[in-house]
Amino acid sequence: MKEQEKPLSTKERIQKTAIELFQQYGYDNVTILQICEAVGISKRTFYYHYDSKEQLVDGLTDYLSIQSRQLMDLLTAQRTSAGTLWALMSSYGANTSSYGPNMIRQIYVNIIQGKVEERFPQSAYLYDTVVRLIENGKASGEIPSPASPQELAFALFHAFRGVTMTWAGENGAFDLEQAFRRVFDAILGIDSAGGQ
């Protein structure tokens, strides 16, 4: 018997609806009032959950990380360390693509404008998990790169961020997952044709 899906909380409904509106009309063209009307809530309810549109968008980054972490927990026991790491990173690319370049561009605008406080990449939800997977992959011989797990994780996070920013800046003009795979293989010294 299939479990029933848990209904979305008000905060989740606000975020989901706002993302849909941002994708359809563009971030700058959507007002908080429009979001409230589409969700069927008052402005007071919106401000109970979010201080601003920027905070709502910043929450998207955390949401994507949480989704990726849940996927990671499921995959860790089922795949090789390098394979699990790739499944995690490629799922991030799929999630990113699903939000579209306009939404992703706005996330990076907020970061560049200093509206997000972070110590990247160490502040990322998955940083410690990625380091651990790289350690395991190096120990098993799956990841031949001589760099330390921490340096490899640092390079992966920054390279993926750079590819994502380029993809958003070029309005999604290339396949994000393929670009991620090229970066992933180059940094870790993996030959994807070898079956990862």
Side-chain angles (χ1 to χ4, degrees):
M1 182 183 283
K2 187 178 177 182
E3 270 186 50
Q4 289 185 337
E5 285 189 29
K6 182 181 167 189
L8 296 177
S9 68
T10 300
K11 186 172 186 170
E12 292 168 327
R13 287 188 310 120
I14 293 168
Q15 188 174 53
K16 182 179 185 300
T17 302
I19 290 166
E20 291 168 357
L21 291 170
F22 295 156
Q23 289 174 322
Q24 187 173 0
Y25 301 109
Y27 177 84
D28 292 328
N29 298 322
V30 175
T31 66
I32 289 173
L33 181 59
Q34 288 171 310
I35 295 168
C36 293
E37 288 173 355
V39 178
I41 59 169
S42 67
K43 274 186 156 183
R44 182 177 180 172
T45 301
F46 177 92
Y47 285 114
Y48 174 79
H49 294 286
Y50 296 100
D51 294 334
S52 63
K53 280 191 338 183
E54 289 81 11
Q55 185 187 36
L56 193 151
V57 171
D58 295 340
L60 177 59
T61 305
D62 293 340
Y63 174 72
L64 290 173
S65 294
I66 290 166
Q67 279 187 322
S68 295
R69 185 174 198 136
Q70 290 169 345
L71 174 65
M72 184 64 190
D73 290 343
L74 292 172
L75 295 175
T76 300
Q78 300 174 8
R79 309 222 16 205
T80 63
S81 295
T84 301
L85 184 58
W86 170 246
L88 171 70
M89 298 300 225
S90 64
S91 75
Y92 173 77
N95 286 333
T96 300
S97 294
S98 73
Y99 287 108
N102 289 331
M103 267 311 294
I104 300 305
R105 198 168 29 247
Q106 187 59 48
I107 290 171
Y108 287 113
V109 166
N110 291 352
I111 291 169
I112 291 166
Q113 290 178 346
K115 296 178 181 176
V116 177
E117 289 185 31
E118 64 176 352
R119 192 171 150 255
F120 187 79
Q122 292 83 358
S123 64
Y125 282 114
L126 296 173
Y127 181 78
D128 292 334
T129 304
V130 168
V131 170
R132 192 170 56 251
L133 282 168
I134 293 170
E135 286 171 350
N136 294 344
K138 287 177 70 67
S140 69
E142 298 169 63
I143 299 174
S145 173
S148 74
Q150 292 78 10
E151 288 300 315
L152 291 171
F154 181 89
L156 277 175
F157 275 93
H158 280 284
F160 274 52
R161 179 177 265 194
V163 169
T164 303
M165 288 177 81
T166 302
W167 175 83
E170 293 181 5
N171 207 29
F174 57 86
D175 185 304
L176 190 58
E177 186 176 342
Q178 286 180 358
F180 278 179
R181 188 69 210 213
R182 289 179 66 189
V183 167
F184 181 88
D185 288 354
I187 290 171
L188 299 180
I190 293 175
D191 177 10
S192 63
Q196 289 298 335

